Amino acid sequence: MSDTVKYLLDEKDIPTHWYNIMADLPEPLAPPLHPGTGQPIGPEDLAPLFPMELIKQEVSAEREIVIPDEVRDIYKQWRPTPMFRARRLERALDTPAKIYYKYEGVSPAGSHKPNTAIAQAYYNKAEGITKLSTETGAGQWGSSLAFAGALFGLEVDVYMVKVSFQQKPYRKALMESYGARCVASPSDETEAGRAILQDSPNSAGSLGIAISEAVEIAATRDDTKYSLGSVLNHVLMHQTVVGQEAVKQLEMAGDYPDVVVGCTGGGSNFAGITFPFLGEKLRGGKDVKVIAVEPAACPTLTRGKYAYDFGDTGHLTPLVKMHTLGSTFIPPGFHAGGLRYHGMAPLVSHVQELDLISSRAYHQTECFAAGIQFAHEEGILPAPEANHAVKGAIDEALRCKEEGKSETILFNLCGHGHFDMQAYMDYFAGNLEDRNYDEGELAMALAGLPSVAAE
Amino acid sequence: MSDTVKYLLDEKDIPTHWYNIMADLPEPLAPPLHPGTGQPIGPEDLAPLFPMELIKQEVSAEREIVIPDEVRDIYKQWRPTPMFRARRLERALDTPAKIYYKYEGVSPAGSHKPNTAIAQAYYNKAEGITKLSTETGAGQWGSSLAFAGALFGLEVDVYMVKVSFQQKPYRKALMESYGARCVASPSDETEAGRAILQDSPNSAGSLGIAISEAVEIAATRDDTKYSLGSVLNHVLMHQTVVGQEAVKQLEMAGDYPDVVVGCTGGGSNFAGITFPFLGEKLRGGKDVKVIAVEPAACPTLTRGKYAYDFGDTGHLTPLVKMHTLGSTFIPPGFHAGGLRYHGMAPLVSHVQELDLISSRAYHQTECFAAGIQFAHEEGILPAPEANHAVKGAIDEALRCKEEGKSETILFNLCGHGHFDMQAYMDYFAGNLEDRNYDEGELAMALAGLPSVAAE
């Protein structure tokens, strides 16, 4: 039997619609609130930040949103992405389980992020915007929006968390290759950044701070809008092309997953691979066990509180109901910078509250070990973020071995590790620590959650 | 009209045979000679270094060599690779020419090199070998053989040119992720390495030195064979899957190239994309202009002498007839480490002597500028080696513009630049110099060419 089993779709199989799970959920999502009034916000509150089409998508209850031809056209460069059966990994684990993985690292920016970057750049361009501001942690999102900006002729300013900016100069160079500008955050370009620098001149930055800076720039300039790489409903929805393709590819394989695993930072990768399967279940289809895997050092879903909170440190965003560690929580350093966010997408939080998914947390060294094993068997070196999903899938496969069950496991390998080799070097050198967050700091951050009228 | 035009083949279109251009050439290749006797060598002379199947391929006159099922099975992971029409680049250049590019960066190791690495690992494994030794410059080849070794369960020792070893620690980390061992060359592990270190303790290494080390290890150990990433006939032949697929993809496009461009270091990428087209021409098909692009700092085809020379610095290899700058020639530093070899594949040299191809040399900064323009329009950041081909294709497209001709141009984008970001950073910072080789040193290296009886 062949060792390499790849499921490839035709170009015509690129989804024609994004899937909106809101249409199928038994309970609606809690509305975002205005931090001043505590009242639900309207489209006009978001208009300074986002183009109207994306605001409409953010609150849409339609099950399907048509993907514009121009966006599908660019998707064609790397979509449909391949799905593989990990036969060599199965053999190495000696498991009766079948492991499939969808691979999003084939995009030019190397991850799933361009699925929404292209869409966001398209809608902004269509509404006459000439410049986008955004934040980035590890740089996957920043380089994806830079890529999208280059194709649509938009200027892109990226506020990159300072510690990543210093650790990952090559991500910055990639953004610059696409013509974007990349600035270490906190910067002196914004009120939000200057306020942080005044208090803590040596601040290493955080995603929450970088979001404040990017939001401020967009809010104060007419030609500029803000672009977010995760968390928001429309961003998660754009990623559902991943799961929709996987549904078709598993059909080709004559299979259906018992377990779907995704890693979670802000939630967009997780939603992308899992929501189309959850949707089938919600509409009366087959049951599926859905597992969110997060870093133990930033355990939003497993240790956060489900409450209204700000999306950023500077408190410029609306309040959204989500699993949060508190907007002042700064997780200890670990190498999956894309997973270092204090909150979780409201939609992902909501489906956990509805018991549609479960979550678990892993430390980074066990995830790197899983990633190395995967690379050795399957040939692709995953990003540190993706290693969390690999570890989750391997553990499920080992459970199947113990239980003697031949279950079908699917996970999304959301990006390659080519820009994360320092992390692998640190791992090989034994220099990676599994740091825990400080319980006292978490308690303090949670105690500082805003109290809002609507709760 | 769509901006993204991708030509995708089915898995069944992965070539079933490698194409051997020797069957179609009007004159045979000059034989490799034993350096001691000056007489043509036989299979037994190569047996300490290579498995017998590869030796047979090296001297075969058959037009087609069957690709073993096990090799095609692994090819499936990333093959057939996509071919794109570079429509946005065409528009940016305002050229009437059509530009197509084949993209080999989708392989797990990020370049065309696994096409031969997998084949070589397979034949060695089949003949009971447990370990491979090899050299690498920029690291594309070393990581490809490491990848192949992981899949076939072979140990892999890579001697990496010291200056690259120091500049590109991430390539080493990638090799280690696949379980290979990577050593800076010259090393103290071999006679050849120790001899160099005694003379020049601070030697930065060269491909010629690293080859000597890897060859010595293989020659002195029964369980170990040597693996070369370019230059040899069988290596070039394994790369013809690239050009064969491109022939089919251009058929899909209803087109045929007027011009095919490839960058040349040892010659395998160039042969891979161009030989199948040259073969069609040699068998009475359409004429095609074939252009080899090389670095001005190491201009083997444009300035080298066509003569018998050693493949390595330590003079452990047979003598082969090729365009050479002399085995003692050390090119000045530039960032396309994969193109820093003193010689050229005998087959590529031969087709140039037969006037089937022409060659040109570019400096590195103009190649980086071309690569940045390509990334901005097409979204993929090329490896510095591949930038030479990009520059060649752009210049041909601009010639077409000047001449008002709508020619069809094809080039191979042989790898991505994810592991070469320092080079791009240096380019952006204005720190890249276009260094020329020293004419006196070249003259001296050429004067030192071995005199052989058979010439």
Side-chain angles (χ1 to χ4, degrees):
Chain A
M1 191 184 272
S2 170
D3 266 357
T4 307
V5 189
K6 180 167 69 169
Y7 299 93
L8 265 191
L9 299 167
D10 286 335
E11 229 164 68
K12 64 175 171 42
D13 295 319
I14 296 174
T16 54
H17 295 72
W18 292 301
Y19 166 61
N20 184 4
I21 197 172
M22 289 210 268
D24 291 319
L25 288 176
E27 289 174 34
L29 202 59
L33 304 180
H34 191 287
T37 65
Q39 293 305 304
I41 57 167
E44 66 286 0
D45 294 300
L46 295 173
L49 297 186
F50 303 105
M52 200 41 70
E53 275 306 314
L54 290 179
I55 295 173
K56 283 186 198 162
Q57 290 182 9
E58 186 66 16
V59 298
S60 171
E62 296 294 315
R63 181 171 290 121
E64 296 189 327
I65 308 273
V66 175
I67 303 176
D69 286 344
E70 293 85 343
V71 173
R72 281 187 89 232
D73 181 48
I74 295 177
Y75 279 176
K76 277 195 296 187
Q77 190 177 4
W78 71 94
R79 307 210 71 83
T81 62
M83 184 186 80
F84 295 96
R85 169 111 180 250
R87 220 183 260 283
R88 282 183 294 258
L89 179 62
E90 290 169 15
R91 204 159 48 220
L93 298 172
D94 190 24
T95 175
K98 289 182 276 183
I99 306 174
Y100 295 91
Y101 62 98
K102 181 84 171 150
Y103 183 42
E104 289 290 306
V106 292
S107 81
S111 77
H112 63 296
K113 293 290 186 189
N115 295 327
T116 184
I118 294 296
Q120 293 189 45
Y122 166 77
Y123 288 114
N124 276 284
K125 176 82 176 182
E127 295 187 23
I129 293 304
T130 59
K131 183 170 163 175
L132 295 174
S133 67
T134 196
E135 75 294 325
T136 198
Q140 295 268 25
W141 168 244
S143 43
S144 298
L145 195 68
F147 159 61
L151 296 194
F152 283 99
L154 294 168
E155 272 184 78
V156 176
D157 276 7
V158 181
Y159 293 86
M160 185 170 185
V161 177
K162 193 183 277 172
V163 56
S164 294
F165 182 92
Q166 289 162 343
Q167 282 175 353
K168 306 202 169 195
Y170 294 171
R171 272 284 174 196
K172 172 174 180 271
L174 181 59
M175 294 179 222
E176 289 175 347
S177 300
Y178 290 133
R181 198 170 71 90
C182 178
V183 181
S185 166
S187 79
D188 60 5
E189 297 188 356
T190 64
E191 293 288 342
R194 286 190 291 271
I196 298 280
L197 287 174
Q198 196 156 25
D199 282 357
S200 337
N202 298 320
S203 166
S206 73
L207 269 174
I209 296 170
I211 293 175
S212 293
E213 293 209 88
V215 164
E216 181 184 323
I217 292 287
T220 53
R221 293 183 54 143
D222 281 347
D223 60 349
T224 302
K225 297 277 184 205
Y226 169 63
S227 212
L228 186 63
S230 191
V231 179
L232 297 176
N233 304 339
H234 68 270
V235 181
L236 272 58
M237 194 176 66
H238 296 158
Q239 293 296 350
T240 58
V241 291
V242 178
Q244 288 183 69
E245 287 180 6
V247 168
K248 283 191 195 171
Q249 285 163 311
L250 281 159
E251 254 173 52
M252 285 174 73
D255 217 333
Y256 198 85
D258 299 292
V259 185
V260 183
V261 180
C263 62
T264 47
S268 75
N269 159 66
F270 176 79
I273 186 73
T274 67
F275 279 10
F277 290 96
L278 281 179
E280 303 231 332
K281 169 178 169 170
L282 288 163
R283 294 190 302 276
K286 199 175 163 242
D287 194 21
V288 61
K289 177 174 159 189
V290 173
I291 302 170
V293 182
E294 64 182 11
C298 191
T300 324
L301 281 170
T302 53
R303 290 296 315 277
K305 188 174 168 189
Y306 186 53
Y308 272 102
D309 195 8
F310 290 98
D312 69 326
T313 306
H315 297 180
L316 300 175
T317 70
L319 295 168
V320 292
K321 196 162 182 187
M322 61 181 177
H323 287 88
T324 178
L325 302 167
S327 67
T328 60
F329 178 78
I330 305 280
F334 60 97
H335 263 297
L339 307 183
R340 295 183 76 244
Y341 182 58
H342 71 271
M344 179 51 60
L347 265 175
V348 174
S349 297
H350 190 49
V351 296
Q352 174 163 294
E353 288 300 306
L354 293 170
D355 279 333
L356 291 168
I357 69 167
S358 65
S359 50
R360 63 177 70 159
Y362 289 118
H363 278 294
Q364 64 178 349
T365 54
E366 56 190 343
C367 293
F368 275 99
I372 294 291
Q373 180 172 28
F374 183 83
H376 199 268
E377 299 304 328
E378 298 296 319
I380 301 170
L381 192 70
E385 290 81 4
N387 283 342
H388 288 73
V390 173
K391 169 68 176 160
I394 287 178
D395 275 6
E396 283 298 298
L398 293 176
R399 174 188 59 73
C400 288
K401 180 180 176 179
E402 226 176 80
E403 300 175 356
K405 285 183 181 163
S406 173
E407 293 182 17
T408 295
I409 300 164
L410 169 71
F411 73 98
N412 190 27
L413 192 70
C414 59
H416 61 60
H418 302 170
F419 290 90
D420 306 285
M421 296 311 296
Q422 187 60 48
Y424 281 95
M425 286 179 67
D426 291 348
Y427 174 75
F428 287 132
N431 292 336
L432 282 197
E433 267 181 274
D434 286 335
R435 294 170 66 188
N436 285 306
Y437 57 88
D438 185 290
E439 289 282 355
E441 279 176 27
L442 174 58
M444 215 154 74
L446 288 175
L449 286 177
S451 56
V452 288
E455 254 188 312
Chain B
M1 190 185 272
S2 172
D3 265 358
T4 308
V5 189
K6 179 167 70 169
Y7 299 93
L8 265 191
L9 300 168
D10 287 334
E11 228 164 68
K12 63 174 171 43
D13 295 319
I14 296 174
T16 53
H17 295 74
W18 291 302
Y19 166 61
N20 184 4
I21 198 171
M22 289 210 268
D24 290 319
L25 288 176
E27 288 174 34
L29 202 58
L33 303 180
H34 191 286
T37 65
Q39 292 305 306
I41 57 166
E44 67 285 0
D45 293 301
L46 295 172
L49 297 187
F50 303 106
M52 200 43 70
E53 274 307 313
L54 290 178
I55 295 173
K56 283 186 199 161
Q57 290 182 9
E58 186 66 17
V59 298
S60 171
E62 296 295 314
R63 181 173 289 122
E64 297 189 326
I65 308 275
V66 175
I67 303 177
D69 285 345
E70 293 85 344
V71 173
R72 282 188 88 232
D73 180 48
I74 295 177
Y75 279 176
K76 276 195 295 186
Q77 190 177 2
W78 69 95
R79 305 211 71 83
T81 62
M83 184 186 82
F84 295 96
R85 169 108 180 253
R87 220 183 261 285
R88 283 184 293 258
L89 180 63
E90 291 169 15
R91 204 159 49 222
L93 297 172
D94 190 24
T95 175
K98 289 182 278 185
I99 306 175
Y100 295 91
Y101 62 98
K102 181 83 172 153
Y103 182 42
E104 290 289 308
V106 293
S107 81
S111 77
H112 63 294
K113 293 289 188 188
N115 295 328
T116 183
I118 295 296
Q120 293 188 44
Y122 166 76
Y123 288 114
N124 275 284
K125 176 82 176 183
E127 296 188 22
I129 293 304
T130 59
K131 183 168 163 177
L132 295 175
S133 67
T134 196
E135 75 292 323
T136 198
Q140 295 269 25
W141 168 244
S143 43
S144 298
L145 195 67
F147 159 61
L151 297 193
F152 283 99
L154 294 169
E155 272 184 78
V156 175
D157 276 8
V158 181
Y159 293 85
M160 186 170 186
V161 177
K162 193 183 277 172
V163 57
S164 294
F165 182 92
Q166 289 162 343
Q167 282 174 353
K168 306 202 169 194
Y170 294 171
R171 272 283 174 197
K172 172 173 180 271
L174 181 59
M175 294 179 223
E176 289 175 347
S177 300
Y178 290 133
R181 200 170 69 92
C182 178
V183 181
S185 167
S187 79
D188 62 4
E189 297 188 354
T190 64
E191 294 287 341
R194 286 189 292 270
I196 299 281
L197 287 174
Q198 194 157 27
D199 281 358
S200 339
N202 298 320
S203 165
S206 72
L207 270 174
I209 295 169
I211 293 174
S212 294
E213 293 208 88
V215 164
E216 181 184 324
I217 293 288
T220 53
R221 293 182 53 143
D222 281 347
D223 60 350
T224 303
K225 298 277 184 203
Y226 169 64
S227 211
L228 186 63
S230 191
V231 179
L232 297 176
N233 303 339
H234 68 273
V235 181
L236 272 60
M237 193 175 65
H238 297 158
Q239 293 296 350
T240 58
V241 291
V242 178
Q244 289 183 69
E245 287 179 6
V247 168
K248 283 190 196 172
Q249 285 163 311
L250 280 159
E251 253 173 53
M252 284 175 73
D255 217 334
Y256 199 86
D258 299 292
V259 184
V260 184
V261 179
C263 61
T264 48
S268 75
N269 159 66
F270 175 79
I273 187 73
T274 67
F275 280 10
F277 291 96
L278 281 178
E280 302 230 333
K281 170 178 168 172
L282 287 164
R283 294 190 302 275
K286 200 177 161 237
D287 194 20
V288 59
K289 177 175 160 187
V290 174
I291 302 171
V293 183
E294 63 182 10
C298 192
T300 324
L301 281 171
T302 53
R303 290 295 316 276
K305 188 173 168 191
Y306 186 54
Y308 271 103
D309 195 7
F310 290 98
D312 70 326
T313 307
H315 296 179
L316 299 176
T317 70
L319 295 168
V320 292
K321 195 162 184 188
M322 61 181 176
H323 288 89
T324 178
L325 303 166
S327 66
T328 59
F329 178 79
I330 306 280
F334 61 98
H335 262 297
L339 307 183
R340 295 182 78 244
Y341 183 58
H342 71 272
M344 179 51 60
L347 265 175
V348 174
S349 296
H350 188 49
V351 296
Q352 173 163 295
E353 288 301 304
L354 292 171
D355 279 333
L356 291 167
I357 69 167
S358 66
S359 50
R360 62 177 71 158
Y362 289 119
H363 279 293
Q364 66 177 347
T365 54
E366 57 190 342
C367 293
F368 275 98
I372 294 290
Q373 180 172 28
F374 183 83
H376 200 269
E377 300 305 327
E378 299 295 320
I380 302 170
L381 191 70
E385 290 80 4
N387 283 342
H388 288 73
V390 174
K391 169 69 177 159
I394 288 179
D395 276 5
E396 283 298 297
L398 293 175
R399 175 189 59 73
C400 287
K401 180 180 178 180
E402 226 176 79
E403 299 175 358
K405 286 183 181 164
S406 173
E407 293 182 16
T408 295
I409 300 164
L410 168 71
F411 73 98
N412 190 28
L413 192 69
C414 59
H416 61 61
H418 301 170
F419 290 89
D420 305 284
M421 297 310 296
Q422 188 60 48
Y424 280 95
M425 287 180 66
D426 291 348
Y427 174 74
F428 288 132
N431 291 338
L432 281 197
E433 269 181 273
D434 286 335
R435 294 170 65 187
N436 285 306
Y437 57 88
D438 185 290
E439 289 282 354
E441 279 177 27
L442 174 59
M444 216 154 73
L446 288 175
L449 286 176
S451 56
V452 288
E455 251 188 314

